[in-house]
Amino acid sequence: MDTAADSTAMGRAITLAARGLGSTSPNPVVGCVILDSEGRPAGEGFHQRAGGPHAEIHALRAAGEKARGGTAYVTLEPCNHTGRTGPCAQALIEAGVSRVVYAVADPTPQATGGADTLRAAGIKAEQGLLADEAEAGNAAWLTSVRLGRPYVLWKYAATLDGRIAAADATSRWITSPESRADVHRLRAEADAVVVGSGTARTDDPQLGARGIEGAVQPLRVVVDTGATAVRPRARVLDDTAPTLVAVAEDADTGHLPDGTVLRLPRAATGPGLDIHALLAALHARGVRSVLLEGGPTLAGAFVAAGTVDKVVGYLAPVLLGAGPAALADAGISTIAQALRLDVTETVRIGPDLRITAVPGPARKGN
């Protein structure tokens, strides 16, 4: 039976895990807390970067001999294989812990089995404490493993009446400086930022994560089917971060730098590229999370493909009455087909409202 102390320790581990967002990919974010045999804090740690020590190793080093006879709380099942680092299950055994509580089972075939290894060594291993919270904190990595594609967060900024620009196409700035700063946090947590040709042509965005200390710059991806929007001096081609320009297989790309072109099949229906092929290509490059910042047309294509896992909308207390909406055609022709969302958070960001929502159960896993 889980106690209040167990929940507190696991809650702390989940908080620690979040510190690794944006720096551990293609690995998961993981936190670990160790209590000694008397239930007192002995050590804690989190996975800080891919290729570096796992959360359990950091926590065990901090705990030292106090780990013996104690309990380890880990947000993800301790790994059972040797990769760039050794198996954490074995490290816990050697440290002499008597109990391991983990929130979520590891779904990767090569790493699973850590709990069984612990039990075989006489250590009590328990699963499921604060599993929903731990899942939410590691949603990007878990989605990428389970579905074989990157996790997609669609972000948009709009007026209270849902407009992303005025009738004359002006759009800077609808939301506040506070909201725009918050978007840079989202960029810093993502492996890739994706925009469409309309955004590239109109805004000439740079797409870097600015104002975030220690940020790992995301891969910049422009979906430019005809290879007409990204010109040689575009800001997205600067040396801030790597860039891919996704184009149709028959597009003329002679004006684009070597190594930036990603050729993909066109969509089977409608304009644009095959979204599933785009995500598969990014996944093959190690991308586990995507921040979709494209305009309404590209967002509609992602929604139609069933590949949006989370929506973050920044709503400004502004009315326009005309202008483009946040979402274009998404293959929804009747109210019965509407993509129903579950709101998970509402937060004031400066004068704006940030709403976070996820697809309801009927669409999850599409």
Side-chain angles (χ1 to χ4, degrees), residues 41-116:
E44 62 181 32
F46 65 97
H47 185 38
Q48 299 175 13
R49 60 179 178 82
H54 290 186
E56 296 94 322
I57 305 306
H58 283 297
L60 287 171
R61 287 175 179 171
E65 281 301 310
K66 293 179 181 178
R68 191 163 302 278
T71 300
Y73 301 83
V74 196
T75 56
L76 186 69
E77 179 183 4
C79 66
N80 198 42
H81 77 298
T82 299
R84 284 186 282 182
T85 61
C88 291
Q90 188 59 42
L92 290 164
I93 292 169
E94 292 173 358
V97 300
S98 62
R99 178 175 172 241
V100 174
V101 181
Y102 63 98
V104 180
D106 193 322
T108 54
Q110 68 270 28
T112 192
D116 290 339

Side-chain angles (χ1 to χ4, degrees), residues 115-355:
D116 290 339
T117 296
L118 292 169
R119 294 185 185 108
I123 296 173
K124 188 176 183 180
E126 306 167 17
Q127 176 190 340
L129 179 61
L130 301 188
D132 290 345
E133 293 88 339
E135 284 252 359
N138 215 9
W141 182 81
L142 289 168
T143 296
S144 72
V145 172
R146 292 166 178 166
L147 300 185
R149 64 158 176 83
Y151 178 90
V152 177
L153 187 161
W154 170 41
K155 160 265 164 186
Y156 71 94
T159 63
L160 205 56
D161 55 342
R163 306 296 177 175
I164 62 167
D168 66 355
T170 55
S171 62
R172 295 189 178 185
W173 294 100
I174 286 177
T175 53
S176 65
E178 293 90 340
S179 288
R180 299 196 297 275
D182 196 59
V183 170
H184 284 279
R185 175 187 59 83
L186 295 181
R187 287 182 182 177
E189 292 178 356
D191 293 343
V193 177
V194 178
V195 300
S197 58
T199 300
R201 188 177 291 111
T202 302
D203 297 339
D204 188 24
Q206 193 257 2
L207 300 180
R210 297 186 295 276
I212 308 296
E213 185 178 355
V216 177
Q217 293 296 327
L219 172 70
R220 300 173 295 184
V221 182
V222 180
V223 180
D224 186 11
T225 305
T228 59
V230 180
R231 307 313 300 171
R233 287 182 293 277
R235 295 176 68 215
V236 79
L237 295 177
D238 69 16
D239 59 2
T240 298
T243 298
L244 286 178
V245 183
V247 304
E249 292 168 324
D250 58 351
D252 180 2
T253 59
H255 59 288
L256 294 173
D258 292 341
T260 63
V261 175
L262 173 62
R263 295 189 180 276
L264 296 171
R266 293 178 183 269
T269 58
L273 301 177
D274 185 314
I275 298 301
H276 293 287
L278 169 64
L279 291 176
L282 293 177
H283 190 267
R285 285 167 166 76
V287 172
R288 298 296 178 260
S289 60
V290 162
L291 176 62
L292 175 61
E293 290 197 49
T297 300
L298 187 60
F302 270 78
V303 171
T307 56
V308 172
D309 300 294
K310 180 187 285 188
V311 179
V312 175
Y314 296 85
L315 299 183
V318 176
L319 298 176
L320 285 173
L327 185 67
D329 182 15
I332 298 170
S333 59
T334 176
I335 194 67
Q337 298 174 333
L339 175 56
R340 304 288 179 177
L341 305 175
D342 296 330
V343 174
T344 59
E345 184 185 52
T346 57
V347 178
R348 284 288 298 271
I349 304 288
D352 307 323
L353 181 65
R354 186 186 71 201
I355 299 178

